[in-house]
Amino acid sequence: MTGTAQAPARATLDKAADENFPVAPFFLPRAWRDDLMAVYGYARLVDDIGDGDLAPGGADARRLGVPPERADDRLAVLDAFEADLHRVFGPGGDAPRHPLLRALRPTVRRCSLTPEPFLRLIAANRQDQLVRRYPTYDDLAAYCRLSADPVGRLVLGITGTTTPERVRRSDAICTALQIVEHLQDVAEDLARDRIYLPAEDMKRFHVSEADLAAPTANASVRALVAHEARRARALLDEGMPLVGSVDGRLRLLLAGFVAGGRAALAAIAAAGHDVLPGPPRATRANLLREVGAVLRRARREG
């Protein structure tokens, strides 16, 4: 990868430090870390396309072959991105155009990954361009099956630990983590004209869109956020047995995922469920405490 091509790719990968959970921590085998970062680079890039958060200058669109006049057309860039993804899975021939997709190709081959979870992530970001509100919790959960659950399935694929039961537990954890992120980002999402709080729940708690646009949350908004947080915690609990179903460093990695969600929920609760001034974030100390709690529970239940 040339220096010019490397800079935007590195900027994308550097966003891993801002996630609620460790993406590829140092204690994992080097091959796993490389593969996890390759998948993270893909997932982060497709989200950045969908959110309009690509690096200024249009370099990513140019690499994907999108004409300059369409560089701001997110659906056009997603279409080009999907075409480049198919080059990753091609038997040979043309190499992927984007450096992050070129980096993904060895991981796909080494781990025998299939296109489906990658395509789901693209579908989620296409949906973001067309769907701005979710009438019911079931509608939101269906979106999470596209936007979040594939990531956990890819982690299982990379580590060679896929089973139907682990996939089910992983899906619960990933959906929970997506809901937590939505709760943290209510104000940011609203600025993009997106609301990931189910409309049926907003009605139940007497919350209007104007309430979400306020600088601080009123009692109704706080009650709504607390309700969605309880749902996320229940999903984390449902997925918890996944941690105890594996051993060694993989157990520690999965504990980190669950602990990241639990620590973020604790930060939301500590803010009085007022997420409107900005995303409540867990401290490193709280994250480590949650990791310990998850591991102790996994040992008890294992």
Side-chain angles (χ1 to χ4, degrees), residues 206-227:
H206 307 289
V207 172
S208 68
E209 294 193 15
D211 292 329
L212 299 181
T216 59
N218 61 27
S220 296
V221 172
R222 291 171 190 247
L224 171 61
V225 170
H227 172 71

Side-chain angles (χ1 to χ4, degrees), residues 23-25 28-43 89 103-114 117-118 121 149-163 166-167 170 246 249-250 253-254 257:
V23 173
L28 293 178
R30 177 62 183 269
W32 281 7
R33 295 203 310 271
D34 290 346
D35 291 337
L36 288 169
M37 285 306 296
V39 166
Y40 176 79
Y42 174 92
F89 287 91
L104 182 63
R105 193 181 231 181
T107 291
V108 162
R109 293 178 173 177
R110 184 163 50 242
C111 303
S112 300
L113 302 179
T114 63
F118 297 100
L121 293 173
D149 295 2
V151 176
R153 295 183 181 210
L154 287 168
V155 171
L156 294 177
I158 286 169
T159 57
T161 53
T162 301
T163 67
R166 286 179 178 144
V167 166
S170 171
V246 299
R249 288 177 281 188
L250 179 56
L253 175 68
L254 298 182
F257 292 163

Side-chain angles (χ1 to χ4, degrees), residues 31-297:
W32 281 7
R33 295 203 310 271
D34 290 346
D35 291 337
L36 288 169
M37 285 306 296
V39 166
Y40 176 79
Y42 174 92
R44 183 70 267 167
L45 181 59
V46 72
D47 278 355
D48 285 349
I49 294 171
D51 290 340
D53 285 341
L54 293 174
D60 291 294
R62 285 196 301 276
R63 288 191 185 93
L64 293 169
V66 177
E69 64 273 15
R70 301 197 69 190
D72 293 328
D73 182 338
R74 297 179 194 178
L75 288 172
V77 179
L78 286 169
D79 287 346
F81 188 73
E82 181 173 336
D84 213 29
L85 174 66
H86 288 301
R87 297 184 186 99
V88 172
F89 287 91
D94 294 341
R97 294 175 172 177
H98 198 283
L100 288 175
L101 288 174
R102 288 198 295 274
L104 182 63
R105 193 181 231 181
T107 291
V108 162
R109 293 178 173 177
R110 184 163 50 242
C111 303
S112 300
L113 302 179
T114 63
E116 182 189 11
F118 297 100
L119 290 169
R120 284 193 183 193
L121 293 173
I122 294 174
N125 280 276
R126 282 204 182 97
Q127 185 165 313
D128 276 335
Q129 312 314 308
L130 305 171
V131 180
R132 304 286 180 168
R133 306 290 188 273
Y134 288 85
T136 69
Y137 176 75
D138 288 343
D139 293 324
L140 181 65
Y143 169 75
C144 292
R145 286 195 287 274
L146 297 176
S147 67
D149 295 2
V151 176
R153 295 183 181 210
L154 287 168
V155 171
L156 294 177
I158 286 169
T159 57
T161 53
T162 301
T163 67
E165 178 65 10
R166 286 179 178 144
V167 166
R168 186 175 74 81
R169 302 290 187 181
S170 171
D171 286 353
I173 292 169
C174 290
T175 291
L177 293 175
Q178 181 74 88
I179 291 172
V180 171
E181 184 177 331
H182 288 159
L183 294 179
Q184 290 174 309
D185 294 341
V186 167
E188 179 182 332
D189 290 334
L190 186 62
R192 292 180 166 131
D193 191 28
R194 295 177 188 163
I195 296 178
Y196 295 102
L197 298 166
E200 64 182 3
D201 294 341
M202 291 178 62
K203 181 178 180 180
R204 173 185 168 188
F205 287 92
H206 307 289
V207 172
S208 68
E209 294 193 15
D211 292 329
L212 299 181
T216 59
N218 61 27
S220 296
V221 172
R222 291 171 190 247
L224 171 61
V225 170
H227 172 71
E228 306 302 344
R230 286 191 293 272
R231 276 180 160 159
R233 182 170 287 278
L235 285 168
L236 287 175
D237 288 343
E238 181 183 338
M240 185 83 73
L242 175 65
V243 178
S245 77
V246 299
D247 296 312
R249 288 177 281 188
L250 179 56
R251 176 178 285 196
L252 186 55
L253 175 68
L254 298 182
F257 292 163
V258 175
R262 286 166 58 97
L265 286 171
I268 290 170
H273 297 97
D274 184 2
V275 296
L276 300 186
R281 300 292 185 191
T283 65
R284 181 174 177 79
N286 286 342
L287 175 60
L288 292 175
R289 277 196 292 271
E290 289 290 354
V291 168
V294 171
L295 289 172
R296 287 192 295 273
R297 180 168 167 178

